[in-house]
Amino acid sequence: MSARDLISGEADVNSQDEDESFDEETGEVRRKTNGVKGINGHLEDSSEEDDDDDDEEAAAAVRKDFIVEDDEEPEERERRRRERKKRRREEREEEEAGLDEEDLDLIGEANPNFERRAPSEPKLKRLKRGHKEDRDGYRSKGIENIFDSEEEDETDFRNQRQSHRTDPRNLQDEFADFIEEDFDDRDGAPDDDDADVARPAVRTYTGIKDAAGLDEAALEDMKEAFGEGDEYDWALNIQDQEDEREGGLDPDDPEAIAKGLELKDVFEPSQLAEKLLTDEDHEIRAADVPERYQLARAPYRDLVLTSEQFKEEGIWISDFLWLRKKIKPTLKEPFRKAVAKVLEFMVANEYEVPFIFQHRKDYLIHQEKVPVTPDPNEPGAPDFVISAEKLLDQEDLWRIFDLDLKFRALIDKRNALSETYKKLQDIVDFHDKVFETMLPAAVTMEELQDVQDYLHFQHASKLADLAALNASSTANGTHRRPGSGRALFDRIRCSNVYGLVRAFGITADAFAQNALKEGRRRYTEDPASHPEDLADEERIMDPPEYSTGAQCLKAAKVMFAEEIALSPKMRKVMRAAFYQDGVIDCFRTEKGLRRIDEHHPYYSFKYLRNQQLTEFSDQPDLFLRMIRAEEEGLIEIKVRMQNEESFKKRLYTEIESDNYSEIAEAWNRERREVLDMALLKLDRMMARGVKENLKNECEDQVAKRCREEFSRRLDQAPYKPKGMVLGTVPRVLAISNGAGSLGRDATCWAWVEEDGRVLENGKFTDLFLGDPDRGQEDSEDVKSFVRLVERRKPDVIGVSGFSADSRKLYKLLDDIIERKDLRGPTYEDDDNNDRSDKLDLVIVNDEVARLYQTSERAMLEHPGFAPLTNYCVGLAKYLQSPIKEYAALGNDVTSISLDPAQAYVPREKISKNFETAMVDYVNLIGVDINAALSDPYTANLLPYVCGLGLRKAQQLMKVIRLNGGDLINRAELVGDTSQQRLGAVGGRVWVNCASFLYIDYDSSEPEADFLDNSRIHPEDYELARKMAADALELDEEDIDAEVNESGLSAVIRRLIREEQQYKVDDLILEEYAEQLETNNNLRKRATLETIRAEVQNPYEELRNNFTLLSSEEIFTMFTGETRESLYEGMVVPISIKKVGEDYLEARMDCGIEGTIPAIDISDRPDVTPRSLYQQFQTVQAKIRHINRKTLTATFVMRENEVRNPVKHNYDREAGDWDDNQERADKDSMKEKNDVSGRTQRVVKHPLFKPFNSAQAQEFLGSQARGDVVIRPSSKGIDHLAVTWKVSDNIYQHIDVLELDKSNQFSSGSTLTIGGKFKYSDFDELIVNHVKAMAKKVDEMMLHEKYQNGTKAETERWLSTYTEANPKRSVYAFCIDPKHPGYFFLCFKAGQHAQLQSWPVKIVPQAFELQRNMYPDMRALCNGFKLLFTNMQNGKRPGR
């Protein structure tokens, strides 16, 4: 099958319907179109049909022995030649090399309106449908419009324009597509006023809107999104030129096709990379190596480890892992052997982790025979027992995989250094014992970096010569080495001053060896002269640079200090000391002094001191928060040695001489100064390294915690109702009220079958359960709900939502189920009696459903569903298969927060850990490969199968479909040339993935094998068949007879057919395993156990039961709060819902509700609640108790309680906190406030904070857009300031003037802003002013014309757009960060027009442009176009 069979429509033979047809997508009637039609955008005429007729006539004449003479005129022949060439070009474009159906679909996914092709059908059927498809407006998509949507009939429009050359003066001018009307769909026409000022357009082309089914505005939007369609004409022109040179190409010739265009010739590299269609992606698909191995080892593709390096790697990794493993010391050698064997599997055999864990499990376990004391009462008892110890688990295997990559990087760098050293020796014959000793001893990248720094320092001049030589050889001798490029230290080394360095009596390496306590001690020798005297000698001085003794001595000390600092051994000493005795101190900066107050999340470490490095292993999130605070400039983290002075004194003894004289003392003094200089450099270097390593370690720990939590989410089977087998997919009814209030807002529901189809959905608006005792009937929605349950008979009902009201919905549904006695499915109990229990009702984890409800995937699967209905679908599918829902998220899965510190870890690390967890559990459950062909959710699991990946999974599916569809057995995956079946995977990848892709066993299919439906690997099929024969007690003759009659799987088929699987339990596998190991050197004890289990229950569900949420998890899901963010004793704002005679009912922002009795409202018993408070008022209250199960709380509002909130108690030891600094900072801040002389205003409002502008911005930094702080103003006691967050790092400060104040400290009864807006209180101001503007900001930033970048970036985008579309004009909005509350409207009226921008001001309920108010974005856009049109017509001056 060629690409043309998949793309092109063929001619119809027997079409009956000549007048009209129906669109399969929309159901709209489509009329037959007469006239021009084309393929790939090229015009066709009837000549092709005539050619066919001519050919048939010629063939008929030949059959009748007639000679047909070619008497055509040369012009006619030339015309036919051009037509044939054109047809060949069209066919070649449809059969692009590499552009098969899968590639087109992959690229087409970039277009949201892309429509996948229907599966291919027999050619006769396609021929019969040909004309109808043409009448329906079907147009094949060629390479030039592969990204175009099915709406884009503009290609035909362009073809007509090319065919019928129209006078350009008849075209619309360049602003016709710029001044486009954004009319409301409900109106359908412009206003009369707009029509008066709109520029009349000359319409040259008619019928396009009708043909495309689009109105004029939609056509212009389409042009703006996709251009005129001529972006790739250059590529087609090149092809035309090639056609002219070659005289036409045969599309059936593969070599000719190869000369055509490729994807990379047409599409941007970023587009190809996004769709995995680059050359590298094709190489990965083609290589018979697991995809994850190819990607991970790509940087070391050319690195080949020697046998010695491979042995070294095994020891290196085992030593690294041994420190973290809690295994008996006697097992260290077996542990090393196990690690070495795993490395052999990974490197030599290229087995992936799941394969090793599943099929080489015996090598991960250490077994030994432990003798036992003979029992006289049991003479036949064995003399020993088998003791098994698990050496490596699956997580260890992933760790080995990561360490293998790190070791490869280590060896790669070591080889590069060794090669450089050899090249230096080729230039100059020398040996550096330090380098030659330390290079092979370096076992970390840090130590290798030390060796590299040493080499570049010690042999800088030789390296410069080598670089010059290399440059000379590559530049044909034209490169000249600079004469004055030597560094300072190289000059000292080559001068007489270096003799003074030697006079210190000990080399840097010898001193470092003493400090390292390696080998025998090296003693320091004193010169005969005083340091100053020796420096003044002529043999030392080296004028003009070093013409005095002081200069010489200073240079020598600097040189010696640098040699010590760059000594690999000395760095090793310092690094060990830092990791052993290092401590971390936190120091607040001036910025942090102001911003980090007692309520700030960073206050817990503002004055933290003396923290051991090991302490962060238990709280890695603390150090990551410290790093984040340091990045924000709020604190400074300092790493130091705890006993630095004693360490320094110990080093002094290693560098000083043991002599007692004035000269010796003078030289020792100089040596100590040199050492101090070196230690200063080393301290800074080590501190940076320790911080970076500690940061990486903490990130790895947090990522590991996230992986463990994600694994817990994956390790749950579908929800199991009573009586069902674990792993059975339930039928689910999912219900949610979203963020709405129960009884006021709609409650949506969706019914999802076990196969994932959404068969029914709807909503309830009044779920109210009546009270028979009071004569109240149930609402109609309750009756509808009961009928729905009785009709659909769900296995489980899932409930969730975005607020605490969802907990009320759960309680209401539970009451309905209880009162109406709604039952679950019927099942047989242990006594074989039919029974049914109360219908299951569960609260579902909604983290996946929240991402699904507004996703593109949801829009494609259920285009007519409301987001809340899609949310219900997500809940239902999560109950049916959590792992499939997580896999369907793709890269978005990292958006799910599984740990409070996850935000501090790079997304790449989280993604990598999530991927390995998915690989583990996908291979645990296996993938039904035939189901994956038809179910995209199952197909989403394929990239995580052992040996596969995104690319190989795509290739696998494509080849299986090309081979005809469903597989019968696993062997078909590797193909069969005799049956002309393509190989879906190579042999090595097949070994990895075979046992994890299962095929349902069909006993009626002769080629089907029961073992293909199990976890048993094909390499062990013979073992399974042998076990089956032994279980059936068949001898060799019986086995041969069965095999000869029914094939290799005959014995297994008989075992299954006779239902004798239980007999494998009677086999003694221990003896069989010993025989295999003795005779065949195969360790298969664990494999035999797997075979026994799989024969009886193939691919048994091994995951845990579906995990129900705990009360704490439900509390966090519905409220967004945790025990750390909301606790008893905390003071919070509450909104009064109801005011009673002796109580208040209130609600927190998170949805938690509670009551306050009169005794807790006020200290005055004579005052009633109604006299103090009113409904919807916001007040401060202290939490007395929280019921996290019912999502309720009790509050207290008495002033003495509110003024004394409970503070965090940090568990600190003495010396961990700098109390003196904390006290001094508080006194300093108090003095600054006193000096300012400003009266500190206090406003009784929950949003009031005693902040200045900087503190308000800091406080709002982590808040949502539109959040507000009320604060004191510097303009006087009759002013207050309102600061609100416009966008990230953009805050608007609003001056509020208070009028009608009863006294200077009270709030005014009238609040005015700019003399224009007046409000009665702050609640009204916030809602009607700030929130109204925030809503307009949201409307602006969600508009399609909004650009997220800066003004400069937006203008660059405008310029790029107009360069690509010279005749078009374009405009866009972007935010003005320098003027909060303003946006830029940037526009460019054509390619050569000047970039312009107008300010757009956000005001409550409107946008202001050029002093005109517009209520919404549509009006703003249309208003701008009218203003621009008027400006062009000279009705108002331009800017």
Side-chain angles (χ1 to χ4, degrees), residues 739-810:
S741 298
L742 197 61
R744 186 178 65 189
D745 300 308
T747 299
C748 293
W749 59 269
W751 165 259
V752 182
E753 282 283 355
E754 58 263 37
D755 58 2
R757 291 177 300 143
V758 184
L759 298 186
E760 193 175 357
N761 69 89
K763 65 180 180 179
F764 302 121
T765 56
D766 184 25
L767 277 174
F768 172 74
L769 195 60
D771 188 350
D773 297 338
R774 297 183 179 180
Q776 293 179 338
E777 292 188 359
D778 299 334
S779 67
E780 287 299 320
D781 280 344
V782 170
K783 297 176 183 177
S784 299
F785 170 75
V786 173
R787 289 195 296 270
L788 173 65
V789 171
E790 292 175 344
R791 174 165 50 89
R792 286 297 185 181
K793 301 187 183 312
D795 298 320
V796 59
I797 296 178
V799 181
S800 198
F802 312 145
S803 68
D805 273 14
S806 300
R807 188 69 177 76
K808 297 179 182 178
L809 175 62
Y810 173 82

Side-chain angles (χ1 to χ4, degrees), residues 252-300:
D252 295 327
D253 182 6
E255 294 182 0
I257 294 176
K259 297 177 183 178
L261 290 175
E262 297 182 7
L263 290 175
K264 64 183 179 182
D265 297 325
V266 180
F267 299 112
E268 293 290 336
S270 59
Q271 293 175 301
L272 296 179
E274 181 183 357
K275 298 302 177 183
L276 305 178
L277 292 173
T278 64
D279 292 340
E280 292 77 10
D281 295 320
H282 293 315
E283 290 175 5
I284 292 173
R285 288 187 182 93
D288 187 19
V289 179
E291 182 171 326
R292 273 174 287 274
Y293 279 4
Q294 293 188 62
L295 294 173
R297 295 172 179 170
Y300 322 110

Side-chain angles (χ1 to χ4, degrees), residues 1336 1405-1409 1412-1416 1419-1420 1423-1424 1427:
K1336 289 300 170 188
Q1405 313 298 341
F1407 301 97
E1408 182 179 338
L1409 175 67
N1412 298 308
M1413 299 295 178
Y1414 301 98
D1416 54 37
L1420 175 64
F1424 158 65
L1427 290 172

Side-chain angles (χ1 to χ4, degrees), residues 850-869:
R850 288 189 186 223
L851 295 175
Y852 175 76
Q853 62 175 335
T854 56
S855 66
E856 182 180 349
R857 176 164 53 98
M859 298 302 106
L860 292 174
E861 293 175 354
H862 313 293
F865 285 12
L868 188 56
T869 305

